Amino acid sequence: MIDGKKVLFSGMQATGNLTLGNYLGALNNWITLSDEYECFYSVVDLHSITVRQEPSELRKRARNLLTLYIAAGLDPEKNCIYYQSHVSGHAELSWILNCFTYMGELNRMTQFKDKAAKHADNINAGLFTYPVLMASDILLYQADVVPVGVDQMQHLEITRDIAQRFNAIYGDVFTVPEAYFGKAGRKIMSLQNPEKKMSKSDENVNASIYLMDDTDTVIRKFKRAVTDSEGQIAYRDEQPGIKNLLDIYCACTNKEPEEAVNEFSGKGYGELKMAVGETVANVLAPVQTRFAELSKDKQYIDGVIKNNAQKANYYAAKTLRKVQRKVGFPDRIR
Ligand code: TRP
């Protein structure tokens, strides 16, 4: 609890360009949470170097992501938006928690197996202990809730196991976090293969709408979206392409699928695609404009970075000092 509010933690990696899926599934839902929760949103750059990065590119992307958080509507006065690498407590707690995590547990992580297969030439220890760093992110702020997608559920489970294990030995040190499932954060699928999630790492650029795509690009991609030959606009699993278009439309307009189906009944697929494309372009345009403005305001963004790193460090140090005492490190002489 901070000032009587529950704590929420989440993070994103600054690798790849954010997609409409990231926006509608995560970022856009985050905006509404700061009234109810004390929110920490980190740009998790420590996680990023588990795969090789071009340094100048990583720095640029990290700043862009942080700026985009704000452009998308997160108020940096109400939400702690910061770089993970600016708070040394993440790495320090991570070391301690490594000593409370078993090789066998980490060996079972499906994301490790996937990434090890994908980066066979660089299966480093950081990639292996990635979930422990993620646990440290969450536990460092005593987070009550963590909004995560299904692909990160296994990591949240191991976080809970580590917290409970530690608490069983040393008493109630960590809050055991729960997954946060917001109001039906719709899962946005690939435009080229609607059986697959829209992903920022898809090689086919037509499969994903990127947050920075201009209106023409957005409309062109929707025009090319894969549908089916049924010829009717219905919201059902047998028509995943059409269902995905309707889901995107509903997520952008706050309408219910039924309402959308009525609106498009008797119309052709071409018309639906145009309407969804235009709706999405209209949602993205203001975010892009705001992003462009903010990017020019170096002083403002620098101020956000500085102030929020200070705030994050304050809460991180509180937990870290407690943990260090519990495991038997000597008190600091002040
Ligand atoms: N591993 C997460 C991802 O790739 C990012 C992340 C790092 C995170 N630390 C976190 C998400 C803590 C939630 C909470 O998506």
Side-chain angles (χ1 to χ4, degrees):
M1 288 279 192
I2 295 178
D3 297 337
K5 279 187 189 170
K6 286 191 169 182
V7 177
L8 179 150
F9 186 96
S10 198
M12 274 193 201
Q13 290 209 43
T15 37
N17 294 317
L18 288 198
T19 68
L20 184 65
N22 300 121
Y23 181 72
L24 295 176
L27 212 45
N28 195 36
N29 301 328
W30 289 0
I31 295 159
T32 58
L33 299 173
S34 64
D35 290 333
E36 192 177 347
Y37 297 98
E38 187 70 34
C39 298
F40 292 84
Y41 296 114
S42 188
V43 173
V44 293
D45 45 3
L46 298 182
H47 281 100
S48 294
I49 63 163
T50 53
V51 302
R52 217 52 92 216
Q53 303 289 340
E54 167 59 43
S56 60
E57 188 66 14
L58 177 60
R59 199 164 8 251
K60 197 172 82 195
R61 282 179 181 281
R63 188 164 175 113
N64 283 347
L65 179 57
L66 188 134
T67 307
L68 195 59
Y69 279 177
I70 305 168
L74 287 178
D75 179 349
E77 302 287 327
K78 292 196 191 135
N79 300 274
C80 189
I81 297 170
Y82 74 100
Y83 295 125
Q84 186 187 29
S85 63
H86 283 188
V87 180
S88 60
H90 289 261
E92 293 180 71
L93 182 60
S94 192
W95 170 256
I96 296 174
L97 295 183
N98 268 322
C99 303
F100 293 85
T101 308
Y102 298 111
M103 300 285 285
E105 286 179 297
L106 293 175
N107 255 323
R108 285 197 292 276
M109 296 291 119
T110 55
Q111 185 172 300
F112 169 68
K113 290 185 218 172
D114 291 349
K115 286 201 180 168
K118 211 168 143 191
H119 305 279
D121 55 337
N122 182 20
I123 306 177
N124 60 71
L127 197 62
F128 189 62
T129 59
Y130 179 114
V132 183
L133 179 58
M134 184 161 154
S136 305
D137 299 342
I138 297 166
L139 301 179
L140 197 52
Y141 300 96
Q142 306 286 358
D144 296 276
V145 292
V146 182
V148 281
V150 276
D151 58 322
Q152 296 296 317
M153 271 310 283
Q154 205 183 22
H155 290 162
L156 186 60
E157 276 308 317
I158 198 175
T159 301
R160 290 167 53 85
D161 291 342
I162 295 169
Q164 279 162 345
R165 184 172 305 143
F166 197 93
N167 286 352
I169 305 172
Y170 300 106
D172 269 343
V173 177
F174 293 122
T175 301
V176 180
E178 310 266 351
Y180 175 88
F181 298 104
K183 50 169 182 29
R186 288 194 179 77
K187 192 165 164 194
I188 307 301
M189 311 305 276
S190 155
L191 296 186
Q192 290 299 310
N193 176 3
E195 313 274 358
K196 216 175 75 178
K197 194 175 136 181
M198 184 181 285
S199 160
K200 53 185 175 179
S201 51
D202 206 310
E203 319 82 61
N204 185 346
V205 292
N206 288 320
S208 309
I209 301 290
Y210 299 109
L211 288 196
M212 291 299 148
D213 279 349
D214 60 29
T215 299
D216 288 348
T217 307
V218 170
I219 294 194
R220 178 168 43 80
K221 287 181 180 178
F222 274 104
K223 274 191 184 158
R224 291 186 188 169
V226 169
T227 51
D228 53 57
S229 52
E230 303 259 343
Q232 57 153 355
I233 295 174
Y235 187 77
R236 53 191 204 117
D237 292 339
E238 290 76 14
Q239 292 179 254
I242 295 296
K243 187 172 183 229
N244 189 36
L245 291 178
L246 290 168
D247 270 334
I248 294 172
Y249 183 74
C250 289
C252 291
T253 55
N254 274 324
K255 288 182 184 168
E256 292 302 319
E258 208 178 302
E259 231 178 313
V261 169
N262 281 338
E263 204 175 314
F264 291 106
S265 85
K267 298 197 171 141
Y269 286 2
E271 231 172 309
L272 173 67
K273 288 177 176 181
M274 264 316 274
V276 180
E278 278 168 8
T279 306
V280 168
N282 286 336
V283 166
L284 298 186
V287 177
Q288 293 168 355
T289 307
R290 185 93 185 98
F291 177 83
E293 286 164 8
L294 286 166
S295 298
K296 277 187 243 147
D297 199 343
K298 182 171 184 308
Q299 215 181 348
Y300 172 72
I301 298 292
D302 283 351
V304 167
I305 290 171
K306 187 171 167 212
N307 293 338
N308 279 323
Q310 249 165 26
K311 178 174 168 187
N313 265 301
Y314 170 80
Y315 290 107
K318 270 184 42 171
T319 302
L320 191 62
R321 294 296 167 257
K322 193 165 164 191
V323 171
Q324 288 167 331
R325 272 226 99 242
K326 291 283 182 184
V327 298
F329 296 164
D331 287 333
R332 287 164 197 240
I333 314 294
R334 291 195 288 164

